[in-house]
């Protein structure tokens, strides 16, 4: 990765972005330009501008209701499934507008996978869970190898290799979540979105997933939503801090306060609000 | 209690307590009414039908209810096999036709239709359920049966030569009143029942499972196939059994369009008879053993439908429990 | 870095093709095909509904008039003219009496299930058996009343028909009312109890009023169903050609008359059947719409 780092600064990449701090970094895979997300007439998040860089982990943090999950779900068009949801501004994936009229959300989600807050394996066998995405994508050859690879990739293979036929629901919570990660990486997406993937898990299972995320970053680009600041500090390269603010009319909107290297955010934040939040002086 | 003398007003010795008891008793007895009625149905009917139950009642398909030659040697024969056969055939046609339609509608409503469209369609399906069965019967005998005759003729010409199908799609009757017509009318009548239960079942599929499928880049159909259907199998089976039970007990519409011939015929375009249909049809002219035989068929019908219903409830409940286990 | 070699191909900086047309044809076709099948299923169900309504309306409207609703039924099916007066009267009297019997019993039973029995063994048994009773064919209910009532009093009557319809309505009312009582928030019961109200007082003055719109709507639907039931009436009510507004003595209903006349080969009889069908449909429709209005107007907003 070091080979790829250049001296881009955020401000040269994205005119109008928050403080001009240097971000030692890989090229961006996804860019958000002035993105607002609406539910009906309610603007849940306004004016988000940031970039998601290749093979790095980007964390979205902030208090509840700040819109971090909403932003995450707009990245692979999961918000399309909520009636009345709408995105303004521009989200690009390798320069291609994700919300262009001829873009198919199904193709988007195939390339930008997702892992959810609550482990949600299908009520099928472990094997079938991993194979599901491959099957719908018409991949039929070397199924066993592909399933094994995905399970190895999710650091689950050794624990389940002898019981691939048992139900995915029979696993522990942490194992279920890794199964969900295996299911997501089996279709070889480029980006994996993780929506508070550890919030339902105990500390040991959380540690395993965090280790796994480091390994996965070699191959995939990861965006993770978390409200555990230590987790963001431990795993991510870049951190975006969101908060919820009242506008002139007294309506709450989520908005991006600061986006920078994780180290910078946690040691030398540019914004007072970020500092208050990470030092626990929030609210 | 004597120790509590000082707080006499806190003891329960006032009129209100009796009112409470009385009200409770009233409610319990109302609940009991259901059990009493069901028990009475079984006891009184079995008692009345007892003389009719013989070996031939269950094994013969010969139905000669009135003494054929006055006081001669021939005796009436009450064999009910043809009616049982008709009931099964007609219900089977109804289920085969109604199940895919109902599941399609239920999926359309839960997974495809926008909210506003959904409300409108649910109202229409409710309306379909509200049409009295006798009205379907009237429509069936005067409109559908004659209109279907040419269709049956065409099907017979096309499929009549095929080995197995040929037997099912034989020479149609000119009136169109047949197993097939009865089955089709029944299918329309059980669609709302199966649809509404299937909808409930589909609605209980956890959203997280659907999201997981979406996030893998599934199309809508792949999402349904991967996340919705596997979760719903048990519940849908229950819905189908329930629809089957309703089809078997449906009387009037079938009585009007089934063609009223006592026979066991493979040809679905032939006329036949069903258990409930023969009861209303011949009730007016029956006496003595004849009446007992009709009541006996009522008992058979009662037992079948109760068993089918219990199985359906059991299947649905087990599916529900499994679902809860899965989402916990 | 070694990982670079094993990166997925899509990670190359070439823009991935995200258009719908890039989805394999097979998947697009399956998806489209399955969606059209769902739409087709809907159509298959709605076409018969439309046709039934159309035929009943068009054939019935030619017949229906004030005279048709009050005049006697001709005692020969062949004869044209006459009306369905006795059937209209019988439908109202019999269904009304059935409702008068089934509603109090059904609501009290529902109160037992939801307020007292809850999940105990008896309540669960009653609940299951009500479900089973809902599935008992109406013709069986007719036979039951014949055996247990008509044979005892030795007379077919409107009252016997009312008993049979009442038995059919009972489980429906119990289950729908219980459902509505369950929606009444527990806070209401506790608030009333905290004021020192007795259980029955709480139930009658707080819980029932809170659930009443739902209960009424369920009852309306049960009445609509019962008004269209045919088999029990055919079995236990006998038949008449002049109006009988009492529960004693033989009677008839619209549904029974439709059944009887539909099977006749005479056009005059068939016409009367269509007229009666339209009348019955209108009665059923009024109750169904009333049920919907009541339940949507006064629905309990949340659990």
């Amino acid at each position: 990765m070091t080979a790829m780092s250049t001296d881009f600064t955020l401000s040269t990449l994205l005119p109008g972005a928050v403080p001009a701090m240097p971000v030692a970094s890989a090229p961006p895979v996804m860019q958000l330009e002035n993105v607002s997300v609406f539910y009906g007439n309610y603007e849940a998040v306004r004016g988000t501008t940031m970039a998601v860089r290749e093979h790095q982990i980007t964390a979205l943090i902030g208090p509840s209701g700040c819109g971090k999950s909403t932003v995450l779900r707009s990245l692979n068009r999961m918000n399309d499934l909520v009636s009345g949801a709408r995105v303004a501004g521009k989200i690009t994936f390798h320069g291609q507008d994700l919300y262009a009229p001829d873009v198919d959300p199904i193709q988007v989600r195939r390339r930008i996978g997702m892992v959810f807050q609550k482990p949600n394996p299908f009520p099928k066998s472990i094997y079938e869970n991993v194979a599901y995405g491959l099957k719908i994508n018409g991949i039929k050859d070397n199924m066993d190898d592909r399933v094994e690879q995905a399970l190895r990739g999710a650091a689950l293979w050794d624990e389940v290799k002898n019981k691939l036929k048992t139900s995915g629901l029979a696993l522990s919570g942490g194992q279920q979540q890794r199964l969900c990660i295996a299911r997501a990486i089996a279709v070889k997406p480029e980006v994996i979105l993780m929506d508070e993937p550890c919030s339902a898990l105990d500390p040991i299972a959380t540690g395993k997933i965090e280790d796994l995320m480091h390994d996965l970053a070699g191959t995939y680009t990861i965006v993770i939503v978390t409200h555990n600041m230590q987790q963001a500090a431990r795993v991510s390269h870049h951190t975006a801090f969101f908060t919820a603010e009242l506008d002139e009319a007294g309506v709450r909107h989520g908005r991006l306060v600061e986006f920078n290297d994780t180290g910078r955010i946690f040691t030398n934040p540019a914004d007072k609000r970020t500092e208050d939040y990470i030092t626990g002086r929030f609210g | 209690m004597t120790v509590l003398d000082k707080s006499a007003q806190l003891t329960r010795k006032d009129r209100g307590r009796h009112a409470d008891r009385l009200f409770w008793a009233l409610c319990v007895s109302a609940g009991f009414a259901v059990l009493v009625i069901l028990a009475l149905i079984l006891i009184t009917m079995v008692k009345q039908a007892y003389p009719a139950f013989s070996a031939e009642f269950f094994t013969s398909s010969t139905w000669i209810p009135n003494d054929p030659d006055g006081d001669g040697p021939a005796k009436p024969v009450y064999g009910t096999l043809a009616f049982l056969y008709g009931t099964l055939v007609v219900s089977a046609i109804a289920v085969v036709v109604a199940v895919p339609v109902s599941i399609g509608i239920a999926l359309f409503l839960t997974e495809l239709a926008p909210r506003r469209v959904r409300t409108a369609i649910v109202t229409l399906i409710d309306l379909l359920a509200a049409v009295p069965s006798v009205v379907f019967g009237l429509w069936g005998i005067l409109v559908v049966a004659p209109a279907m005759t040419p269709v049956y003729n065409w099907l017979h010409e096309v499929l009549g030569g095929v080995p197995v199908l040929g037997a099912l799609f034989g020479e149609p009757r000119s009136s169109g009143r047949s197993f097939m017509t009865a089955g089709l009318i029944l299918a329309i009548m059980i669609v709302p029942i199966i649809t509404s239960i299937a909808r409930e079942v589909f609605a209980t599929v956890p959203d997280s499972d659907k999201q997981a499928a979406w996030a893998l880049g599934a199309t809508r159909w792949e999402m349904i196939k991967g996340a919705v259907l596997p979760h719903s199998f048990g519940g849908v089976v229950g819905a189908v059994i329930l629809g089957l039970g309703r089809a078997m007990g449906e009387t009037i519409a079938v009585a009007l369009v089934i063609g009223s011939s006592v026979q066991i015929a493979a040809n679905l375009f032939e006329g036949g008879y069903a258990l409930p249909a023969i009861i209303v049809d011949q009730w007016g002219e029956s006496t003595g053993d004849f009446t007992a035989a009709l009541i006996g068929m009522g008992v058979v019908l009662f037992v079948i439908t109760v068993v089918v219903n219990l199985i359906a409830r059991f299947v649905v409940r087990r599916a529900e429990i499994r679902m809860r286990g899965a989402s916990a | 870095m070694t990982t670079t070699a094993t990166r997925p191909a899509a990670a190359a900086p070439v823009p991935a093709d995200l258009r719908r047309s890039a989805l394999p044809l097979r998947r697009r076709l399956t998806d489209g095909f399955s969606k059209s099948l769902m739409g087709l299923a809907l159509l298959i169900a709605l076409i018969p509904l439309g046709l039934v309504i159309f035929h009943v309306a068009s054939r019935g409207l030619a017949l229906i008039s004030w005279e048709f609703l009050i005049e006697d039924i001709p005692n020969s099916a062949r004869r044209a003219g006459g009306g369905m007066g006795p059937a209209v009267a019988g439908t109202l009297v019999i269904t009304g009496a059935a409702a008068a019997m089934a509603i109090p019993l059904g609501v009290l039973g529902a109160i037992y299930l939801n307020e007292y029995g809850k999940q105990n063994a008896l309540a669960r048994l009653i609940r299951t058996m009500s479900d089973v009773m809902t599935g008992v064919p109406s013709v069986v209910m007719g036979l039951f009343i014949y055996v247990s009532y008509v044979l005892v009093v030795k007379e077919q009557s409107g009252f016997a028909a009312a008993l049979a319809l009442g038995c059919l309505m009972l489980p429906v009312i119990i289950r729908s009312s219980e459902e509505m009582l369950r929606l009444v928030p527990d806070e209401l019961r506790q608030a009333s109890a905290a004021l020192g109200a007795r259980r029955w007082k709480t139930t009658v003055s707080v819980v029932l009023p809170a659930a009443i719109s739902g209960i009424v709507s369920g009852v309306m639907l049960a009445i609509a169903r019962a008004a269209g039931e045919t088999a029990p009436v055919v079995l236990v009510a006998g038949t008449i050609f002049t109006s009988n507004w009492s529960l004693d003595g033989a009677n008839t209903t619209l549904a029974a008359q439709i059944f009887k006349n539909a099977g006749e080969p005479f056009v005059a009889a068939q016409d009367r059947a269509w007229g009666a069908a339209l009348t019955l449909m209108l009665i059923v429709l009024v109750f169904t719409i009333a049920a919907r209005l009541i339940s949507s107007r006064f629905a309990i907003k949340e659990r």
Side-chain angles (χ1 to χ4, degrees):
Chain A
M1 257 163 293
T2 41
M4 304 189 100
S5 50
T6 37
D7 272 343
F8 279 132
T9 61
L10 193 59
S11 56
T12 56
L13 273 171
L14 303 167
V18 233
M21 288 292 184
V23 179
S25 192
V29 175
M30 305 188 77
Q31 296 195 2
L32 291 80
E33 285 169 39
N34 199 19
V35 170
S36 301
V37 185
F38 296 83
Y39 294 117
N41 290 323
Y42 170 62
E43 190 176 9
V45 184
R46 53 167 47 164
T48 305
T49 298
M50 59 181 279
V52 174
R53 292 171 187 288
E54 187 172 44
H55 296 182
Q56 308 222 328
I57 300 177
T58 305
L60 312 183
I61 64 168
S64 308
C66 67
K68 53 195 192 295
S69 284
T70 301
V71 169
L72 188 79
R73 282 163 177 266
S74 66
L75 296 182
N76 70 341
R77 296 192 58 171
M78 287 296 278
N79 275 341
D80 289 23
L81 302 171
V82 182
S83 71
R86 186 165 56 81
V87 169
K90 197 170 183 188
I91 302 178
T92 58
F93 178 56
H94 292 301
Q96 199 173 356
D97 185 356
L98 277 188
Y99 286 83
D102 60 342
V103 166
D104 184 7
I106 285 151
Q107 298 276 35
V108 174
R109 296 183 198 126
R110 151 78 182 74
R111 289 173 176 77
I112 305 174
M114 189 159 190
V115 174
F116 298 83
Q117 183 170 1
K118 217 184 80 187
N120 55 354
F122 296 125
K124 304 175 187 235
S125 71
I126 293 169
Y127 184 96
E128 287 296 325
N129 260 287
V130 181
Y132 174 81
L134 297 168
K135 281 184 181 160
I136 63 171
N137 282 293
I139 299 167
K140 295 198 184 78
D141 58 317
N142 302 330
M143 193 59 101
D144 292 356
D145 291 346
R146 289 172 192 275
V147 170
E148 181 180 336
Q149 251 176 22
L151 285 168
R152 279 188 194 281
L156 189 61
W157 175 251
D158 291 333
E159 290 160 62
V160 301
K161 63 184 172 195
N162 294 322
K163 49 175 182 179
L164 292 174
K165 291 278 172 283
T166 56
S167 167
L169 296 167
L171 298 173
S172 73
Q175 289 174 322
Q176 287 192 11
Q177 194 62 302
R178 277 178 282 146
L179 177 61
C180 293
I181 293 174
R183 181 175 66 188
I185 62 180
V187 296
K188 299 204 186 298
E190 269 185 76
V191 183
I192 302 175
L193 309 177
M194 297 188 173
D195 190 358
E196 303 194 24
C198 303
S199 67
L201 305 180
D202 62 62
I204 295 173
T206 300
K208 283 188 182 170
I209 303 252
E210 286 178 5
D211 291 346
L212 175 59
M213 279 162 39
H214 269 298
D215 297 343
L216 291 174
T219 322
Y220 306 96
T221 304
I222 296 177
V223 184
I224 174 176
V225 162
T226 175
H227 52 219
N228 176 342
M229 279 180 293
Q230 287 73 30
Q231 183 169 60
R234 280 193 301 264
V235 302
S236 72
H237 303 103
H238 311 280
T239 296
F241 171 65
F242 288 78
T243 192
E245 284 174 358
L246 300 179
D247 67 5
E248 314 77 49
V251 184
R252 272 168 71 95
H253 304 286
R255 65 187 318 164
L256 175 63
V257 174
E258 188 171 357
F259 175 56
N260 214 325
D261 284 0
T262 299
R264 201 63 71 92
I265 289 270
F266 280 92
T267 55
N268 186 17
D271 195 292
K272 178 81 168 61
R273 290 166 292 180
T274 317
E275 191 181 343
D276 286 352
Y277 183 73
I278 59 168
T279 54
R281 251 174 290 158
F282 179 79
Chain B
M1 294 304 268
T2 46
V3 211
L4 290 174
D5 250 350
K6 271 188 281 182
S7 54
Q9 59 271 62
L10 288 184
T11 58
R12 317 178 82 205
K13 281 187 178 172
D14 61 322
R15 270 185 335 117
R17 184 175 158 220
H18 294 298
D20 245 1
R21 272 286 171 78
L22 188 70
F23 188 68
W24 175 83
L26 218 58
C27 294
V28 176
S29 16
F32 251 102
V34 171
L35 306 183
V36 171
I37 291 172
L38 278 177
L40 277 180
I41 292 178
L42 198 63
I43 297 167
T44 56
M45 283 178 55
V46 167
K47 195 170 145 237
Q48 199 68 32
Y50 193 71
F53 290 140
S54 61
E56 75 180 6
F57 184 81
F58 296 104
T59 56
S60 165
S61 61
T62 312
W63 179 257
I64 307 172
N66 293 310
D67 209 341
D69 52 359
D71 285 334
K75 290 172 77 178
V77 186
Y78 303 109
T80 62
L81 223 50
F83 311 122
L84 203 57
Y85 172 81
T87 296
L88 292 179
V89 168
V90 168
S91 315
I93 298 175
V95 167
V96 166
V97 175
V99 166
V101 171
S102 308
I103 291 177
I105 298 174
L107 285 176
F108 185 91
L109 288 172
T110 49
E111 309 298 339
L112 216 55
R115 191 182 306 260
R116 198 164 283 182
V117 179
R118 194 184 312 160
T119 326
I121 294 173
V122 168
T123 308
L124 284 175
I125 300 291
D126 284 353
L127 196 60
L128 189 64
V131 176
S133 69
V134 69
V135 173
F136 275 119
L138 172 70
W139 179 65
I141 192 173
L142 296 182
V143 179
V144 178
M148 288 307 278
T149 314
V151 180
Y152 295 160
N153 274 321
W154 176 78
L155 277 173
H156 170 59
E157 271 163 37
V158 175
L159 298 169
V162 184
V164 177
L165 288 180
L168 296 179
F169 298 97
E171 186 78 39
R173 293 182 142 201
S174 59
S175 71
R177 298 177 203 173
S178 59
F179 291 119
M180 185 56 97
T181 308
L184 291 178
I185 296 282
L186 269 186
I188 300 170
M189 297 173 61
I190 63 174
V191 159
I193 304 162
I194 305 181
T195 304
S196 83
I197 301 173
R199 255 184 68 210
E200 276 172 37
V201 173
F202 294 149
T204 60
V205 173
D207 212 34
S208 62
D209 279 43
K210 296 195 206 171
Q211 302 244 337
W214 285 122
L216 289 169
T219 62
R220 196 168 287 272
W221 168 243
E222 286 156 358
M223 185 278 291
I224 291 171
K225 208 171 120 206
V228 177
L229 294 183
H231 253 307
S232 324
F233 187 74
V236 171
V237 169
V240 171
I241 302 176
L242 226 53
L244 180 72
R246 181 60 65 87
M248 288 175 141
E250 176 47 47
T251 315
I252 290 298
V254 174
L256 283 170
V257 299
I258 197 170
S260 307
S261 5
V262 186
Q263 61 169 335
I264 296 181
N267 182 358
L268 301 181
F269 300 147
E270 257 300 336
Y273 239 133
L275 282 175
I278 181 93
I279 299 172
V280 281
D281 261 1
Q282 303 199 343
W283 184 253
E285 59 219 54
S286 72
T287 50
D289 283 356
F290 188 0
T291 307
L294 292 179
I295 296 172
M297 282 190 274
V299 174
V300 172
L301 195 60
F302 176 72
V303 172
I304 294 178
T305 48
V306 166
V307 169
V308 166
N309 265 284
L310 283 175
I311 293 176
R313 306 282 166 195
F314 176 73
V315 171
V316 170
R317 190 155 315 155
R318 234 190 36 176
E320 272 171 9
I321 290 168
R322 230 191 34 207
M323 289 281 312
R324 229 171 287 137
S327 57
Chain C
M1 264 192 170
T2 47
T3 48
T4 325
T6 59
R7 272 176 203 168
V14 185
D17 195 345
L18 299 178
R19 281 169 301 149
R20 179 79 172 176
S21 54
L23 204 65
L25 187 65
R26 187 187 53 82
R27 293 181 64 194
R28 265 183 293 153
L29 284 182
T30 321
D31 194 42
F33 184 64
S34 69
K35 283 182 199 162
S36 6
L37 278 187
M38 291 175 210
L40 184 70
L42 186 63
L43 216 60
I44 289 177
L46 293 187
I47 287 175
L49 175 66
L51 285 177
V52 167
I53 293 175
F54 168 75
H55 281 119
V56 169
S58 64
R59 302 283 298 264
L61 275 177
L63 254 287
I64 210 163
S65 64
W66 179 244
E67 285 70 37
F68 180 79
L69 294 181
I70 55 168
E71 266 175 37
D72 285 352
I73 303 166
N75 52 17
S76 159
R78 199 184 309 247
R79 188 139 28 94
M84 277 290 149
V88 174
T91 303
L92 297 180
V93 168
I94 290 172
T95 315
M101 288 185 277
I103 293 171
L105 214 53
V107 173
L108 284 175
I111 291 176
Y112 169 71
L113 290 182
N114 197 62
E115 308 294 318
Y116 294 99
K118 300 190 168 59
Q119 286 305 316
N120 75 20
L122 177 63
R124 289 220 306 269
L125 179 69
I126 292 176
R127 224 170 261 135
T128 309
M129 286 305 149
S130 317
D131 285 348
V132 167
M133 196 166 160
T134 316
V136 170
S138 62
V139 65
V140 170
M141 216 54 99
L143 288 174
F144 162 58
I145 294 301
Y146 182 85
V147 168
S148 62
Y149 178 78
V150 175
L151 281 186
V152 176
V153 304
K154 300 191 166 50
E155 184 203 32
Q156 293 188 311
S157 66
F159 183 69
L163 277 178
L165 295 192
C167 287
L168 287 168
M169 290 170 76
L170 180 63
V172 181
I173 294 180
I174 288 185
R175 296 299 266 138
S176 71
S177 303
E178 193 205 349
E179 204 70 13
M180 292 307 140
L181 290 174
R182 231 182 34 202
L183 293 180
V184 176
D186 243 4
E187 290 78 11
L188 283 185
R189 294 184 186 90
Q190 287 160 10
S192 171
L195 292 172
R198 292 214 165 260
R199 194 105 173 247
W200 76 272
K201 191 80 186 161
T202 300
T203 306
V204 171
S205 61
V206 175
V207 179
L208 267 186
I212 197 70
S213 68
I215 293 176
V216 170
S217 136
V219 163
M220 294 285 209
L221 288 177
I223 293 177
R225 264 229 98 80
E229 285 294 356
T230 316
V233 181
V234 172
L235 297 193
V236 303
T239 192
I240 47 165
F241 299 99
T242 53
S243 296
N244 174 8
W245 284 94
S246 92
L247 286 170
D248 291 333
N251 217 323
T252 190
T253 65
L254 286 164
Q257 286 301 321
I258 298 170
F259 176 61
K260 195 171 278 181
N261 285 297
E264 297 282 356
F266 313 111
V267 177
Q270 294 177 359
D271 280 347
R272 270 193 295 276
W274 286 112
L278 181 58
T279 316
L280 179 59
M281 289 274 276
L282 289 177
I283 292 177
V284 168
L285 204 64
V286 165
F287 275 95
T288 311
I289 291 174
R292 282 212 152 238
L293 285 183
I294 290 170
S295 73
S296 65
R297 191 66 60 82
F298 305 104
I300 299 175
K301 282 294 176 281
E302 83 280 64
R303 311 194 67 158

